[in-house]
Amino acid sequence: MVTQKSEIAESALADDAIIEIIEMHKWYGDFHVLQDINLTVKRKERIVICGPSGSGKSTLIRCINRLEEHQRGKIIVDGIELTNDLKNIEKIRAEVGMVFQHFNLFPHLTIVENLTLGPIWVRKIPKKEAEEIAMQNLEKVHIAEQAQKFPGQLSGGQQQRVAIARSLCMSPKIMLFDEPTSALDPEMIKEVLDAMIELAQEGMTMIVVSHEMGFAKSVAHRVLFMDYGQIVEGNTPEAFFENPQHERTKLFLSQILH
Amino acid sequence: MTEAYVQEKPAEVLKPPVTSVGIIGWVRSNLFSSWFNSFMTLLVIYLLWIIVPPLIRWAFIDSLWLSTGAECQQSDGACWSIIPANIRFIIFGFYPYDQQWRPLVAMVLLIGLLFYSRDRNHWKKSLLYAWLIGLVVMGLLMKGGLFGLSAVETTKWGGLPLTLTLSVFGLTAAYPLGIAFALGRRSKMPAIKMISILYIELIRGVPLISLLFMSSVVFPLFLPEGVTINKIIRAQVAIILFTAAYIAEVVRGGLQAIPRGQYEAADSIGLSYYLTMRLVILPQALKIVIPPSVQQLISAFKDTSLVVIIALFDVLRTTQTVLSDPKWMGFSPEAYIFVALIYFLCCFFMSNYSRRLERELETGL
């Protein structure tokens, strides 16, 4: 169904870590939502995180660009540690693209305005140049002909591809995907996954929270399984799906793979 | 057992069924569809018959348009003559008679600028400069004292220019202030949040009249001796502060309607708080609250007439003054209809414009 692994250019992973999460904890009030998370992501690595709902997988990737604040431990993104310093946070957010479950396009702006907002106001790129970048990225997700429309006039799959293009316009070093296909009708999932696969082929560092196991098998270097706020198991896709070690992983896989 | 079904040919597209045709059909289905509706129709026709013809007779047939007050006393019809005979006092109040072209030019300039600003394509930097220059020219015209224009004390200002000044500046200043307080009330910084809540609740908790009294009677007591602040400015500030509190709550309603995802999307591309608000949140929130905002602005516009209680002569007060003239006594309906028409035109302009703005900003969501 999805592109075979061999088709994706297998560039050797660089050795330097682009994200380091060390003994990180997070609480919502009294609820210990993330417990002792340790994760190192290498440059160009692609990680798929799966797990039951409420397991903390979305919260984890939202901590990486500080949409959520962690209370203990360290998160270092591209050499910058995430602290309360606003300047640091804005700098990291500009380097880390994020795609949401519900797209979150700006409904009052046209597609091309959605894409140029960040480049013009954060990157200070001249408008004309920003529009060229926007058109290139729209072409990349095969949706350039919709540039002048408003988000409300597009289908879910198209909106999600625009959201991917919007992140790409900031030339991010890392892309985070928070269940990018969960809110889509079945016939639109493939077009979004295809756009993500193309991105993978270009060597983008990606962390994807998803239950698309076909995508995980063909694209990911590593699959992580989270449950009750902990990383329970992590392995290459082959080993993860063929030979899961932990009881909870086995149970989870038996529930989603029929 | 389930029977298999496969459609053989697509269903035909048909026109909707016609139940009634023509005028008679319309009348029958809308006016005489039941005995109760027939009764109501006949009753309304009867009421119109006894009200409308005498009204037309009074207003148009028996009415006098350009006569003296004495002639009016003899007539049964409406005495519209009260308007042309006193128009300059109603519009300009106690502004020196031979200088009244100055407020007239200022008003024309103001209304011209307002009309020009209606079109959003004109919203450029040059328009801002036009407004700045326009305001200076208007102020100069009204106050005088330069370029050979004789100085006119602000105590002489009155009538329509005063009403327009109080409302146009009142509303344009109150709106941004209201937005600031709405953002303040949702701020994560406790001090700013507290101040905003306190301000909004305090101001909303008192009537405009008491604020106007305070600005006119209490406030001067706190000023050091010898310092006076113009009465019009004090009333203006009171109106701005009052309207801002209401606008703040209207805008806060709009802010709450914006989903969290919009903030997160703006955050995730690295926009600062200020840019997030300016580019993403406020444009959407303010669009949602156009109808209640205009509601608030219209009501504030009409509330400017309350300045009569601190002895400012707005257009309503000048009209009342004319009515106290023995020559024109007893023609208050005519005079009040005229003033009501002025207020109505301004309010209608605002609501009309707001509907146009809503249409223009429609983006299919």
Side-chain angles (χ1 to χ4, degrees), chain B residues 147-164:
Chain B
F147 304 120
L149 296 170
S150 57
V152 176
E153 283 298 308
T154 54
T155 47
K156 295 236 161 77
W157 295 13
L160 196 55
L162 181 65
T163 297
L164 288 180

Side-chain angles (χ1 to χ4, degrees), chain B residues 190-205:
Chain B
I192 291 179
K193 187 173 177 153
M194 272 308 295
I195 291 170
S196 304
I197 292 178
L198 214 64
Y199 173 85
I200 292 170
E201 296 303 337
L202 268 181
I203 299 280
R204 274 205 310 179

Side-chain angles (χ1 to χ4, degrees), chain A residues 62 93 105-108 121, chain B residues 260 262 264 267-268 279 363:
Chain A
R62 289 156 63 88
R93 282 175 177 165
L105 296 178
F106 305 128
H108 61 302
W121 293 92
Chain B
R260 232 171 89 97
Q262 292 290 308
E264 291 177 351
D267 280 348
S268 77
L279 300 170
T363 60

